[in-house]
Amino acid sequence: METYCCSNGIDRISSLPVDILHIILSNLCIFDVIHMTVLSKRWKNICTTIPYFRFDSNFSDSDPDFEEFKEFIDTFLISHKTISLVRFILSCSNMFESTDILRFIDAATRRNVEQLVLWFSPCEPFELPHCLVTCESLHVLKLNLCGYILKLPNHNHLGGFRQLKLLHLCNVELLDGHLTSCFFSECLLLEKLELCDCNLQHMNLLYIASKSLLYLTFDEGNYYDNCEIKISCPALKFLTYKSPMPKDIVINNLFSIEHVNINFDDYDRNCDEKIGILVHKMIKEAPSISLLKLCKASLKGLYKEACLSPICFNKLKSLKLKLGVDEDCMQVMIRLLKYSPNLEVLKLWCDEVRHFICEVM
């Protein structure tokens, strides 16, 4: 990479403040950053003091340079202990053993890492290390275990995840419902929880109770089978559910909810009645919402429930529906419009025809 020079010979990139250059370099893999140290003494200082670490590699552990890569990461993490890490990203599939990953995590926490993103295949159940659970600088934790089991601690240690605000779990398997529920509830400042493509089929209950949680997302193919979901989050504002249908969903204490998005991605026509009951229970506990998105399965299932027990949405401003051209969907839409007196925007998506948007003022 060459620095940019204008016609009068001034190097404008190198003249930028160090903090700005660090942010620019944060988007590069750490190897590319190190290659830039040859540009000048100032660039060497800039690159070796960067508080961002991104290692993204698909090399095999049989590669002749593998040990050098591993040694390089150790050297980088240990050589500047006095410089705090803003973000540490390690995406390496099955390149490293769990002992290596644990060593990297320990080094990152010693440098007061704020954002930790790990994507690797441990080839065995992976337990959150003590140094990570008790890391008081950590604000963001994103973890992808490529389908392997995540073992949670028996209890959070005093001060555990004290500053954690965002937790993203992707492609992990959780076995113990009680430990999982305790883990979520004991993150006292947690504001955003995302479960993506997680395996919960061995759990009977997933209970999410939090006084601080603002955003809750179930996304892309979580596996539930006989797992029941229970949510009690009085501060929750945004609830997004884009996953297969669980055994049951129980929602309580959603006093602050504003946006609800429901999209079952395993629609079975034989489950219309069950879907209708679940969706009706969910939206009945959220009468104060201002934005509601419903999938086609939700609408078809709601037909009977909406007729028997209509819900009034006095604060609803925006309604977005994915519907089919059939009587049930149309009747549910009409009832939702009827009981949403302050609606301003109606957006409809139809698979059978082209999508269209209409506005109700």
Side-chain angles (χ1 to χ4, degrees), residues 173-354:
E173 181 175 358
L174 298 169
L175 299 179
D176 192 311
H178 175 69
L179 288 182
T180 303
S181 299
C182 291
F183 175 65
F184 293 154
S185 64
E186 291 178 0
C187 298
L188 300 181
L189 295 183
L190 190 64
E191 296 180 354
K192 195 168 187 177
L193 174 61
E194 301 171 341
L195 300 178
C196 177
D197 201 18
C198 293
N199 187 346
L200 311 178
Q201 60 183 343
H202 297 294
M203 293 169 48
N204 294 321
L205 173 65
L206 173 64
Y207 183 31
I208 301 175
S210 170
K211 295 181 179 179
S212 60
L213 201 63
L214 301 177
Y215 301 82
L216 177 57
T217 300
F218 301 85
D219 202 3
E220 294 184 4
N222 293 295
Y223 302 99
Y224 297 115
D225 284 359
N226 293 318
C227 182
E228 175 185 336
I229 298 175
K230 185 175 181 180
I231 302 170
S232 179
C233 304
L236 192 69
K237 293 183 178 295
F238 299 86
L239 173 60
T240 300
Y241 190 95
K242 297 180 179 180
S243 288
M245 185 173 60
K247 179 181 179 181
D248 195 10
I249 299 179
V250 178
I251 296 179
N252 296 313
N253 303 322
L254 297 191
F255 305 126
S256 306
I257 194 72
E258 296 178 2
H259 292 194
V260 173
N261 183 355
I262 303 174
N263 189 354
F264 294 111
D265 63 10
D266 64 340
Y267 175 51
D268 184 347
R269 293 181 179 275
N270 297 322
C271 297
D272 280 353
E273 184 174 353
K274 182 179 179 181
I275 290 176
I277 294 173
L278 283 180
V279 175
H280 190 268
K281 285 170 56 179
M282 293 175 72
I283 62 177
K284 183 175 68 174
E285 295 298 328
S288 64
I289 55 176
S290 60
L291 185 147
L292 176 62
K293 296 182 181 180
L294 295 176
C295 65
K296 181 179 177 180
S298 300
L299 278 178
K300 290 186 68 66
L302 266 177
Y303 175 68
K304 181 178 179 180
E305 297 298 319
C307 293
L308 295 175
S309 180
I311 304 170
C312 188
F313 297 102
N314 290 319
K315 296 183 179 181
L316 190 64
K317 300 293 184 181
S318 179
L319 179 61
K320 301 180 181 181
L321 305 175
K322 187 173 183 180
L323 45 76
V325 184
D326 58 65
E327 184 68 18
D328 290 355
C329 284
M330 294 301 172
Q331 287 297 324
V332 173
M333 182 185 70
I334 291 172
R335 285 188 171 272
L336 288 173
L337 293 175
K338 179 180 179 181
Y339 290 98
S340 304
N342 297 306
L343 190 69
E344 296 177 357
V345 177
L346 173 63
K347 295 184 178 182
L348 305 177
W349 176 283
C350 184
D351 288 338
E352 286 86 348
V353 294
R354 295 180 178 179

Side-chain angles (χ1 to χ4, degrees), residues 30-154:
I30 193 62
F31 292 125
D32 296 324
V33 174
I34 296 303
H35 289 159
M36 299 179 66
T37 60
V38 300
L39 295 176
S40 67
K41 290 183 178 180
R42 183 169 189 264
W43 272 100
K44 182 176 182 179
N45 180 65
I46 290 169
C47 294
T48 55
T49 58
I50 185 172
Y52 302 91
F53 180 98
R54 178 176 178 176
F55 180 85
D56 189 352
S57 176
N58 293 317
F59 292 112
S60 168
D61 57 7
S62 61
D63 190 289
D65 295 324
F66 173 71
E67 289 301 325
E68 291 184 20
F69 293 146
K70 190 161 58 173
E71 182 179 347
F72 170 79
I73 297 177
D74 284 328
T75 302
F76 177 87
L77 289 174
I78 297 172
S79 60
H80 298 285
K81 292 182 179 180
T82 59
I83 301 174
S84 296
L85 280 176
V86 175
R87 183 168 64 243
F88 180 92
I89 300 176
L90 183 65
S91 177
C92 57
S93 185
N94 60 348
M95 181 176 179
F96 297 109
E97 296 181 358
S98 293
T99 52
D100 296 321
I101 300 295
L102 291 174
R103 189 172 67 256
F104 299 154
I105 293 175
D106 181 66
T109 57
R110 290 177 185 273
R111 290 182 56 180
N112 299 316
V113 63
E114 296 178 16
Q115 303 173 27
L116 184 64
V117 181
L118 301 174
W119 185 352
F120 66 100
S121 177
C123 300
E124 60 184 357
F126 180 79
E127 184 172 358
L128 289 177
H130 178 266
C131 65
L132 182 60
V133 175
T134 57
C135 180
E136 297 190 8
S137 62
L138 194 64
H139 295 159
V140 174
L141 176 60
K142 297 184 178 182
L143 189 61
N144 185 324
L145 296 184
C146 300
Y148 283 91
I149 295 171
L150 174 62
K151 294 178 64 177
L152 300 173
N154 289 330

Side-chain angles (χ1 to χ4, degrees), residues 158-178:
L158 184 63
F161 288 130
R162 182 174 294 178
Q163 301 298 325
L164 191 66
K165 293 186 177 181
L166 188 155
L167 176 61
H168 175 92
L169 299 180
C170 180
N171 209 3
V172 306
E173 181 175 358
L174 298 169
L175 299 179
D176 192 311
H178 175 69

